[in-house]
Every structure is written in structure tokens, then in C-alpha cells.
Amino acid sequence: MSVTKTHYAFMPDGTEVHLFTITNNNEISAGIITKGATLNSFTCPDKNGVMGDIIMGFDSIDNHITSGTYTGQVIGQYANRLCGGRFKVGDTEYQVTQNEKGKTCLHGGAEYSSAVWKAIIIDDNAVELTYHSPDGKEGFPGNVDVTVVYRLTDRNELEINYKAVSDKDTIINLTNHAYFNLGTPAAGDVLDHELQLFCDYFTPTDADSIPTGEIRSVKGTAFDFTETKKIGRDIAADDEQLIMCRGYDHNFCVNGEAGKLRLVAKVTDEKSGRKLEVMSDLPGVQLYTGNFIDGSETGKDGVVLQQHYGFCLETQYYPDTPNQPSFPQCTFKAGEVFKSTTIFKV
Ligand code: BGC
């Protein structure tokens, strides 16, 4: 087990960005850069023992700064969408950034993901990143202190622990927005990856990707991943929800009790022989199949990133939760600690 810290790049304002690389005793490694607390690489062997990086992302700071994909970044203060960028905490109504179509708030704007986080090595297999979000940034209430720990174990689990506490009542929904491609992006799209989701329900949306409030059974629909199937099998089905989003871009309700760590998803890629398991204690997960990636950006090793070259499993509270009283809520009182764990196991 080891963790190294190296220079990665400088931000345009001169702030230094570092790269932390955690390597376990199986030679599997995770690279984290301090800009956006970004999971920049996750390197593991294929069925022939050939190492490959399963994170779709970038190898230059310029791309990390300009890309709108949020790849690998820690997203806050509210991951996913808020209708009209508006919500209430108690009797106080807040208007936050409307960074999507001038209407909705997506991923809390660019605050957490564009910040350069402070980081220290806390163990021979773990890095702790911290960020202070000032009261009112992007419109969100509260001075929020956020801590994210990435830990890579010898069981090949990359564990991400999130902790946040605010000095005012506020909403908090944190996730990691990594795009995975188990064959590595150089091998093309992920439509042949086999996916199982431990989710019997999902939350359909309107045309702005805001949940309608319905909790719909996946049974008999293209959204049914309860039995393993290829990501691409039903992606082009004649289903209004899929057509609207050009593929999967939906929140699934994770079976079992939120607050307890449980299996969310299993993914395998027969071609490379790599697999991924996702566990989380959060109530939901966004399956996003890279629908809006359009060949306009070049990723690591000169690979032009095309539609479906990566999939995301963003563990989360459901989108627009503060405006949907029937969803599990994510309003935290001043001083109350938000705590959550997600594990990506290869
Ligand atoms: C959203 C997509 C969006 C992507 C990149 C996902 O979480 O649901 O609609 O395009 O993030 O911002």
C-alpha cells in the first residue's frame, strides 16, 4: 500500500493542483486530483492481467477546467437538479444558480467541482480532501465544511466517505460523477457492458429532467435492470423517457434501507473481463449513459469522446428532493452532520 503526492498542474490563477495516487498490494491504483476532488483514474487488470484505466476523463488541466461533463468530480452542494433552482428550507425560500438552460440548477453549478480542494495523506491507503463552501455561494445557504476521503483497500474497494456540516439549515446532496468504461474508453462505447441494478423503481422526469413525483416500477419497461442485461439492449426503445434524454439519465430508487450500505449495481464487461460493483447508503442512483457526449472533447491518450463512451452511477438523494415532499429528504439542520459512503469495487 502506498500513497504518493505529485505536482499535477497550475490553475490559471496560479493555484497548484496536486495528484495523489493510491496503490494497493494488487497493483491497482486510484488517481485523485485536487481540482474538483476529482477521481482522475482507476487502473486495474483485465482478464489477461493487462492494466487499464477505467475512468473516462482527461489528461490536461485545461480540459478538466473547460469540460461540462463533471467527469470524476465531487458534486455539491446539491448533486443533480433543482426545479427552477428554487427550494425552501423551513419558511425561507432560496433561489440558487440556474446554470442549465437558464432554468434548472444542475449539480449546484460549478462551485465544488471547480474548486481546488486542500488534501492530505491520512493513511498508507487514504487521502482526505477538504473544502469550505462560503454562505451564499451559488445561492446555497450556510458555510459548509466538506470532507471527502478516498480509500483503496486490498479487497480492491475504492471507498469514498463524504462528510459535511453547515452553520445554517441547508440542503446537502453530494456525489462523485465518474464515468466508467471497463474496457477503457479506447475500446469504444459501453453499450455491451452488462448491468444489474438493485432497484425496483425509478423516478420518471419531465422534459427538463425534473422528477414528476411518480415512483414508477421498472417491471416490464426498458428501465428494468433487476436481471443483468446489456446497457444497450433497450436504450433505443420507443419509450418517451429514453427518447427525451437520448438514453438513460434517470434516478433509480435503490432497494433496501437508506442509511445502510447495500449493493446498488454490478457491471461486467465480457470483452475485457473487468467488473465493477457499487455499494452505497444513499436512497438513489443516477444511471447516466453519457448521452450528451458528442465527440467535441478529447480524453486521455487522444481518445475522442463519443456518445456512450462512459456510464455514471451517481449515488445520491433523488433529484429535486426539497420540492418533492414524498422523497427521502436531505435538509440538514445547522450543526447536523451529513455522512455518506459509496464504494466502487473492481
Ligand atoms: C446529468 C446529465 C448531465 C451530466 C453531465 C448527469 O448527472 O443527469 O443530464 O448531462 O450529468 O452534466
Side-chain angles (χ1 to χ4, degrees):
M1 297 274 197
S2 70
V3 187
T4 59
K5 174 184 178 181
T6 52
H7 169 82
Y8 183 72
F10 287 105
M11 295 292 281
D13 70 357
T15 309
E16 186 168 15
V17 177
H18 289 102
L19 165 67
F20 288 83
T21 307
I22 315 174
T23 308
N24 74 6
N25 288 324
N26 308 316
E27 300 297 315
I28 288 170
S29 66
I32 294 111
I33 60 168
T34 50
K35 190 242 160 225
T38 299
L39 176 60
N40 192 47
S41 65
F42 195 8
T43 302
C44 58
D46 70 4
K47 59 187 173 195
N48 301 314
V50 178
M51 288 293 182
D53 178 3
I54 61 169
I55 300 294
M56 191 201 84
F58 303 111
D59 46 19
S60 92
I61 193 72
D62 296 342
N63 286 334
H64 277 292
I65 292 169
T66 56
S67 175
T69 55
Y70 291 93
T71 180
Q73 298 167 352
V74 169
I75 308 292
Q77 183 161 315
Y78 195 91
N80 215 299
R81 293 177 173 86
L82 291 163
C83 182
R86 270 194 300 277
F87 59 90
K88 268 181 151 183
V89 178
D91 291 333
T92 315
E93 176 143 342
Y94 292 95
Q95 173 71 63
V96 294
T97 181
Q98 292 164 293
N99 62 321
E100 190 181 43
K101 301 183 207 158
K103 269 190 186 172
T104 44
C105 174
L106 174 64
H107 297 325
E111 186 198 352
Y112 286 40
S113 50
S114 59
V116 176
W117 295 49
K118 290 195 179 124
I120 51 166
I121 297 169
I122 54 163
D123 231 327
D124 64 353
N125 68 345
V127 178
E128 178 185 274
L129 296 108
T130 50
Y131 173 65
H132 175 82
S133 168
D135 187 17
K137 195 90 195 259
E138 300 280 22
F140 287 93
N143 284 292
V144 185
D145 286 300
V146 190
T147 305
V148 173
V149 173
Y150 287 93
R151 183 182 298 275
L152 180 62
T153 70
D154 276 339
R155 293 180 301 278
N156 304 335
E157 297 164 332
L158 180 63
E159 181 173 318
I160 312 178
N161 286 298
Y162 302 86
K163 212 167 126 185
V165 64
S166 166
D167 64 355
K168 271 191 189 164
D169 297 0
T170 195
I171 56 168
I172 302 175
N173 187 16
L174 305 179
T175 194
N176 182 286
H177 203 299
Y179 293 69
F180 295 93
N181 185 322
L182 302 184
T184 78
D189 68 49
V190 297
L191 297 180
D192 278 341
H193 283 38
E194 304 263 356
L195 170 66
Q196 183 176 23
L197 286 176
F198 296 86
C199 305
D200 293 342
Y201 294 89
F202 77 108
T203 52
T205 68
D206 67 14
D208 292 327
S209 287
I210 299 292
T212 58
E214 182 189 348
I215 307 262
R216 187 181 292 174
S217 168
V218 298
K219 255 218 166 74
T221 76
F223 289 80
D224 192 348
F225 285 94
T226 55
E227 306 275 327
T228 304
K229 74 174 178 191
K230 286 194 170 154
I231 290 178
R233 196 188 84 178
D234 298 328
I235 202 169
D238 185 19
D239 179 311
E240 165 213 46
Q241 288 292 316
L242 289 171
I243 295 165
M244 240 165 21
C245 300
R246 302 192 206 164
Y248 297 99
D249 190 4
H250 292 81
N251 172 69
F252 288 72
C253 312
V254 181
N255 296 343
E257 204 181 319
K260 293 211 167 120
L261 203 59
R262 63 223 189 282
L263 258 178
V264 172
K266 283 187 181 180
V267 194
T268 49
D269 170 39
E270 210 181 299
K271 246 186 265 163
S272 66
R274 292 195 186 91
K275 60 179 175 38
L276 177 75
E277 269 179 28
V278 183
M279 272 157 275
S280 178
D281 52 10
L282 287 169
V285 63
Q286 185 88 1
L287 169 62
Y288 174 53
T289 46
N291 313 332
F292 304 107
I293 297 170
D294 60 1
S296 60
E297 293 181 328
T298 300
K300 292 176 218 168
D301 302 322
V303 177
V304 176
L305 304 177
Q306 305 286 0
Q307 193 185 35
H308 309 316
Y309 266 38
F311 67 88
C312 302
L313 288 164
E314 303 151 52
T315 53
Q316 61 186 2
Y317 281 90
Y318 303 171
D320 203 32
T321 284
N323 299 312
Q324 298 283 351
S326 66
F327 290 178
Q329 293 298 299
C330 56
T331 301
F332 291 81
K333 294 251 165 241
E336 190 187 347
V337 182
F338 167 101
K339 253 181 142 179
S340 165
T341 298
T342 288
I343 295 174
F344 296 111
K345 179 179 178 356
V346 291

